[in-house]
Amino acid sequence: MSYPRVQHRELSVLVGILVGILLDVLATTADSLPNFSLLDLVIFATIPALSGAIAGIADPDHAIVNGVVVGVVAGFIYVVISSVKLPVNIGGDAVLFLALAVPIWGFLGGYGSRFAHRAVTSAQEETIQTTLRTCVNCKTVNPADALFCKNCGTKLPRNTKATASQ
């Protein structure tokens, strides 16, 4: 009997959702919705962005979609937790706020994963640039250990990052 393997994408979404739910449970208080303070606003924006960023780092190829999914699910859990803690007779502004929370969290989760995707890809590009050396004469990319350009034969300048790590 074979079991289906959990793919990298599903695992990143699951981790992001679990982080979002954990932060939802820790951050929501019984009186935060009627008396929404600046700290509550920071928490409200940080939870989906952080959980989306975690999903984006875990799977950079599908970062934005994973971040939106994580944000929507975490936002839905936030709405459920907040609704359970609210009194029965709440105002229409609180209901509107809770209705708009899910799409807002989806947007914030997608944006958090986009930033994580940028950070991961720029770090990968920097790693590639430090391991490869570009000729100043003909702009040919050479291996990190090359002393002369493989295209024109020009002596390559010393790569301080590569020599410092050796």
Side-chain angles (χ1 to χ4, degrees), residues 113-156:
S113 66
R114 182 174 179 209
F115 282 126
H117 178 262
R118 274 194 206 156
V120 168
T121 55
S122 67
Q124 290 171 347
E125 288 172 3
E126 286 178 13
T127 303
I128 290 170
Q129 290 299 325
T130 57
T131 58
L132 301 175
R133 299 174 72 187
T134 305
C135 176
V136 293
N137 187 30
C138 68
K139 306 297 183 222
T140 301
V141 178
N142 296 286
D145 58 348
L147 299 175
F148 296 93
C149 177
K150 65 183 177 183
N151 185 38
C152 68
T154 304
K155 185 173 181 177
L156 296 171

Side-chain angles (χ1 to χ4, degrees), residues 5 28 74 81 98 120 127 150:
R5 240 178 76 200
T28 54
I81 291 172
L98 289 175
V120 168
T127 303
K150 65 183 177 183

Side-chain angles (χ1 to χ4, degrees), residues 15 44 57 78 99 103 142:
V15 169
F44 181 82
I57 290 172
Y78 173 80
N142 296 286

Side-chain angles (χ1 to χ4, degrees), residues 50-110:
L50 180 62
S51 54
I54 289 172
I57 290 172
D59 185 16
D61 295 333
H62 305 99
I64 296 175
V65 174
N66 291 353
V68 170
V69 169
V70 166
V72 166
V73 172
F76 182 73
I77 299 297
Y78 173 80
V79 168
V80 169
I81 291 172
S82 297
S83 298
V84 168
K85 291 182 177 184
L86 283 175
V88 177
N89 55 352
I90 59 170
D93 54 345
V95 173
L96 178 64
F97 174 78
L98 289 175
L100 292 175
V102 174
I104 290 171
W105 278 38
F107 173 77
L108 291 173

Side-chain angles (χ1 to χ4, degrees), residues 27-67:
T28 54
T29 59
D31 61 344
S32 67
L33 197 56
N35 307 322
F36 209 66
S37 68
L38 181 61
L39 178 64
D40 294 324
L41 182 63
V42 169
I43 291 171
F44 181 82
T46 303
I47 291 173
L50 180 62
S51 54
I54 289 172
I57 290 172
D59 185 16
D61 295 333
H62 305 99
I64 296 175
V65 174
N66 291 353

